């Protein structure tokens, strides 16, 4: 087997939509990553579980889209 790690991706922007329950900083503090950090799927999934545990929201969806550069998410 040959494993190619590929290029590292970085978080360009975290955009919060549909939040009318609390302030955005309450949501952002549940993330262990911030803008400019290396993208880590494990930390993103952990943040999703934390947001669901707050019980502020009926549904929590986290999606990723391509950024302005190939190494940005």
């Amino acid at each position: 087997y040959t494993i190619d790690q590929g290029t590292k991706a970085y978080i360009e922007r975290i955009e919060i939509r549909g939040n009318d329950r609390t302030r955005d900083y309450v949501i952002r503090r549940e993330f262990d990553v911030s803008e400019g950090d290396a993208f880590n799927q494990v930390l993103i999934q952990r943040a999703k579980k934390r947001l669901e545990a707050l019980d502020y929201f009926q549904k929590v969806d986290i999606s990723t889209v391509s950024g302005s550069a190939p190494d940005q998410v």
Side-chain angles (χ1 to χ4, degrees), residues 1 8 22 27 29-30 35 44 49 59 64 66:
Y1 295 98
K8 193 174 258 192
T22 186
I27 295 171
R29 73 180 179 201
E30 299 302 323
E35 296 167 345
I44 301 295
K49 288 181 182 180
K59 184 171 80 169
T64 57
S66 300

Side-chain angles (χ1 to χ4, degrees), residues 18-24 26-27 54-58:
N19 172 33
D20 57 358
R21 186 79 189 250
T22 186
R23 296 188 182 256
D24 284 354
V26 174
I27 295 171
L54 287 176
D55 206 27
Y56 285 169
F57 311 104
Q58 292 178 350

